[in-house]
Amino acid sequence: MSIFSLITGRPGPSGFGSASTAEQVTEGIDASNLTAIVTGGASGIGLETVRVLALRKAHVIIAARNMEAANAAKQLILKDNETARVDVLKLDLSSMKSVRAFVDDFNALDVPLNILINNAGVMFCPFQLSKDGIEMQFATNHIGHFLLTNLLLEKMKNTARSTGIEGRIVNLSSIAHNYTYEHGIRFDQINDESGYSDKRAYGQSKLANILHANELSRCFQEEGINITVNSVHPGLIMTPLMRYSELLMRVLRVFTFYLWKNVPQGASTTCYVALHPNLKGVTGKYHLDCNELEPSAFARDTVLAKKLWDFSNKLVSSAAKP
């Protein structure tokens, strides 16, 4: 997509563009036979994603750290859509214990799983380590979703196999994946405060989201699994994600106002990739404004993707040891 398209909202090859809303890109789609999990679904574009999926009659589980906000989000949706099927489960992606507990709680619901939307995240936060001793942005944005996805894979595979319906996994990345550390991922210094940059650490985590999606997509294709995995950049939206950099973002917005989206527009690409029939069989791609876009060279590096996969598995295994 060109800058002209971003500014004007001119549709791309998909028929949609930066001005398209989540409702518009899913119009006419019946998702009544689908169950979806949306992490971070209590606010911002996550909440809009839940609302629109529920509007299209999907059964949606809000996975959120703040249960009060999540329950309020559920009630807000039910107020306008009395027949919406929305459940709420607690999930703190910065804690592997919480991720495992969430999966246990979800499995206890005894429902299928067709769609997993890895939406939640933190952005530009000061250096800190998670409960598992991992740099917070990498822990929350990548490792938490990496573990969550792995623990839900059998459920998704079984659902796709028994129903014949293609499963879909959507990782929310960002154009910020272009702005990362010198070698893409600081494997040997992932938890080092020295040299830490809140902006580059965020870019690193968003690069990891794409690499994770691409490697998982490659594995599924090799195994013949009927599940697609894609990553998306939602666009520039003022949401609670920017709580650590709100002043900076508001100043930036003054000079780049024509590039910013509202929340319904920000959720459009996620909902398009999760539900639209045009995306059937499309996997391992990066999407912006409901159209495919080539990501950075790091993001297309298959060797880096495999290295990150192995590194992430080791981090998860290390944290699991007493």
Side-chain angles (χ1 to χ4, degrees):
M1 300 291 287
S2 66
I3 292 294
F4 177 77
S5 298
L6 287 171
I7 296 172
T8 64
R10 180 180 177 179
S14 69
F16 303 111
S18 61
S20 301
T21 67
E23 283 197 30
Q24 290 171 342
V25 304
T26 59
E27 186 175 358
I29 294 176
D30 180 3
S32 57
N33 59 344
L34 302 178
T35 300
I37 291 174
V38 181
T39 68
S43 64
I45 60 176
L47 172 55
E48 178 68 359
T49 299
V50 173
R51 186 189 72 81
V52 172
L53 263 60
L55 183 66
R56 302 306 174 217
K57 302 181 180 179
H59 176 199
V60 190
I61 290 85
I62 297 176
R65 182 171 52 86
N66 186 330
M67 291 297 285
E68 183 179 350
N71 282 304
K74 176 181 177 178
Q75 293 307 312
L76 184 65
I77 292 169
L78 289 173
K79 183 178 179 181
D80 293 328
N81 180 6
E82 294 180 357
T83 62
R85 294 180 293 155
V86 179
D87 285 309
V88 173
L89 293 176
K90 185 174 180 60
L91 172 65
D92 179 355
L93 286 160
S94 69
S95 164
M96 293 190 209
K97 180 179 179 180
S98 177
V99 173
R100 295 182 188 279
F102 168 85
V103 173
D104 288 342
D105 291 341
F106 173 75
N107 287 335
L109 295 177
D110 194 26
V111 295
L113 181 59
N114 306 93
I115 300 168
L116 172 60
I117 299 177
N118 291 320
N119 165 84
V122 293
M123 180 181 184
F124 299 169
C125 58
F127 179 83
Q128 55 186 303
L129 297 179
S130 71
K131 295 174 183 177
D132 301 300
I134 303 169
E135 187 275 308
M136 187 60 77
Q137 294 192 81
F138 194 76
T140 304
N141 298 351
H142 170 60
I143 291 295
H145 283 128
F146 177 83
L147 176 59
L148 175 68
T149 302
N150 281 356
L151 293 176
L152 292 170
L153 284 186
E154 284 307 310
K155 171 71 78 170
M156 293 199 72
K157 289 178 181 179
N158 290 337
T159 299
R161 190 180 302 115
S162 62
T163 63
I165 300 173
E166 176 185 85
R168 295 187 181 184
I169 298 173
V170 184
N171 281 1
L172 266 77
S173 179
S174 168
I175 198 169
H177 81 272
N178 288 280
Y179 186 73
T180 183
Y181 293 107
E182 183 180 0
H183 301 294
I185 308 290
R186 293 206 310 173
F187 291 107
D188 297 328
Q189 298 174 293
I190 203 70
N191 299 324
D192 289 358
E193 186 171 3
S194 61
Y196 176 80
S197 159
D198 58 350
K199 310 300 186 298
R200 291 190 186 277
Y202 179 70
Q204 172 181 249
S205 71
K206 295 290 100 179
L207 170 62
N209 292 150
I210 301 177
L211 293 171
H212 171 217
N214 292 353
E215 180 63 12
L216 185 55
S217 172
R218 185 191 65 77
C219 292
F220 283 162
Q221 287 179 291
E222 282 190 356
E223 298 173 29
I225 304 298
N226 189 26
I227 301 174
T228 63
V229 195
N230 291 284
S231 50
V232 305
H233 169 49
L236 291 171
I237 311 106
M238 189 65 73
T239 71
L241 177 67
M242 296 179 175
R243 59 185 175 275
Y244 289 108
S245 55
E246 185 174 359
L247 179 59
L248 171 63
M249 291 299 108
R250 290 191 182 280
V251 172
L252 179 63
R253 191 175 183 180
V254 170
F255 298 99
T256 59
F257 66 92
Y258 46 83
L259 296 177
W260 289 69
K261 297 181 179 182
N262 57 37
V263 170
Q265 292 169 339
S268 64
T269 305
T270 301
C271 291
Y272 175 74
V273 175
L275 288 184
H276 206 283
N278 282 359
L279 271 291
K280 182 175 175 59
V282 175
T283 189
K285 302 297 183 181
Y286 173 67
H287 303 261
L288 166 67
D289 298 336
C290 302
N291 290 275
E292 286 184 26
L293 182 72
E294 185 174 77
S296 71
F298 278 141
R300 303 193 308 272
D301 188 331
T302 57
V303 174
L304 186 62
K306 181 62 168 64
K307 185 175 181 180
L308 175 65
W309 184 277
D310 294 339
F311 178 77
S312 302
N313 270 326
K314 288 179 181 178
L315 279 181
V316 170
S317 297
S318 297
K321 293 178 181 178

